[in-house]
Amino acid sequence: MNYFTLDGNNYSFTWYKDFDESMFPEGKNYKKSNYLDIGSGFDIETTNFDIDGKHYATMYCWQWSFDGLTVIGRTWAEFREFFRRIVKFYKPEKKRKLLVFIHNLPFEFSFIRKQFEDLDHVLAKTKREIMTFTANYVEFRDSLILTRFGLARMAKNYKLGIEKLKGDLDYNLVRISSDEYQTPLELKEIAYCINDVQILQRFFHKYIKTEFLRNGYKIPLTQTAIPRSAM
């Protein structure tokens, strides 16, 4: 586990290469629901570049939270291996699903959909508006379409006790991530990665679990479905 302090805030994470299954939080079913009682969030960081007049985007970092644990990886090979380890450890099934929130799922889906051996279920409003998908009973949902808030407002409105970091990250800098070489990440970049997925895991515990799972309600997919879910 890695620890550091930045601007008076304490952070912890583990690189995927140092990850061990003993770090996973215990996966108990949550009472009335068919979900594990684990807050989980996923996000990727991408870099853009142009070659011969064509625009490209590629992932250079991914981060995945499991309650207070944040795992950070740099390659898709690491992601695929980590996902297999998640499935092996938690053994998700129809009545024991792992719920993972992604903020702006359609964007991430365009990158990660090819990394799964098989998708059990995909639900979308349109071809490019993915709302949820499931792979090996790990259920990914779009928290943006559910809240209609950016991460900063979401953390504030739901009183999650954490803030989305603000700063001057240079998104025009081309960052590389391959088996041979990865652009080093600065501490402020790592802090951003940690905070974003920690907001999502807290959203699960503070809102989804208390408002829906605890009452035996179905988790809505969109903001407009929330009033109907309480009827």
Side-chain angles (χ1 to χ4, degrees):
M1 190 72 71
N2 299 272
Y3 302 90
F4 67 94
T5 299
L6 184 67
D7 297 330
N9 297 312
N10 297 319
Y11 299 92
S12 66
F13 74 100
T14 183
W15 294 111
Y16 174 69
K17 60 183 177 61
D18 301 322
F19 175 78
D20 182 85
E21 278 83 358
S22 63
M23 298 178 180
F24 275 132
E26 187 176 354
K28 291 185 178 180
N29 282 49
Y30 187 76
K31 299 178 181 179
K32 300 178 182 179
S33 81
N34 294 325
Y35 294 96
L36 293 167
D37 186 15
I38 294 174
S40 185
F42 179 81
D43 189 25
I44 65 172
E45 304 300 329
T46 61
T47 190
N48 302 292
F49 54 92
D50 296 307
I51 299 178
D52 297 331
K54 293 184 179 181
H55 185 72
Y56 297 90
T58 184
M59 180 277 296
Y60 68 87
C61 178
W62 58 261
Q63 49 270 2
W64 202 323
S65 65
F66 295 81
D67 291 345
L69 169 70
T70 300
V71 180
I72 298 179
R74 301 300 304 271
T75 68
W76 286 125
E78 289 182 335
F79 172 85
R80 291 190 296 270
E81 184 177 287
F82 187 49
F83 185 74
R84 288 192 289 269
R85 294 171 76 175
I86 291 170
V87 173
K88 182 179 180 180
F89 182 85
Y90 286 115
K91 299 179 175 59
E93 55 186 51
K94 186 175 182 179
K95 293 187 177 182
R96 182 187 162 83
K97 291 182 288 186
L98 174 65
L99 179 60
V100 183
F101 279 108
I102 297 179
H103 214 62
N104 192 14
L105 177 59
F107 177 78
E108 265 77 5
F109 185 75
S110 66
F111 286 89
I112 66 176
R113 60 186 176 83
K114 295 182 179 180
Q115 306 306 320
F116 300 99
E117 295 178 359
D118 189 31
L119 297 180
D120 306 322
H121 174 72
V122 179
L123 181 62
K125 293 176 63 177
T126 68
K127 184 177 180 180
R128 297 184 181 277
E129 294 181 286
I130 308 299
M131 295 188 292
T132 181
F133 74 92
T134 305
N136 295 96
Y137 294 107
V138 178
E139 182 178 313
F140 296 84
R141 287 197 181 217
D142 186 1
S143 50
L144 177 59
I145 198 174
L146 175 58
T147 65
R148 292 297 181 186
F149 295 131
L151 278 177
R153 180 60 65 86
M154 177 178 165
K156 181 178 180 180
N157 285 14
Y158 289 96
K159 300 178 181 179
L160 301 182
I162 188 173
E163 296 181 356
K164 178 173 175 57
L165 298 185
K166 300 177 182 178
D168 56 352
L169 295 186
D170 183 3
Y171 290 100
N172 293 317
L173 175 65
V174 176
R175 295 169 172 86
I176 298 172
S177 183
S178 67
D179 293 331
E180 291 76 28
Y181 176 78
Q182 290 117 35
T183 304
L185 300 179
E186 298 179 4
L187 288 183
K188 64 179 180 179
E189 293 179 278
I190 296 174
Y192 272 68
C193 294
I194 295 170
N195 267 36
D196 283 0
V197 291
Q198 283 298 315
I199 288 173
L200 296 175
Q201 72 87 5
R202 292 193 187 196
F203 174 70
F204 170 85
H205 285 295
K206 187 73 179 288
Y207 181 64
I208 297 299
K209 187 166 73 174
T210 57
E211 295 295 326
F212 301 101
L213 302 188
R214 183 174 293 173
N215 298 311
Y217 296 153
K218 183 178 179 180
I219 304 171
L221 281 172
T222 66
Q223 187 184 55
T224 56
I226 291 176
R228 294 197 297 272
S229 70
M231 295 177 63

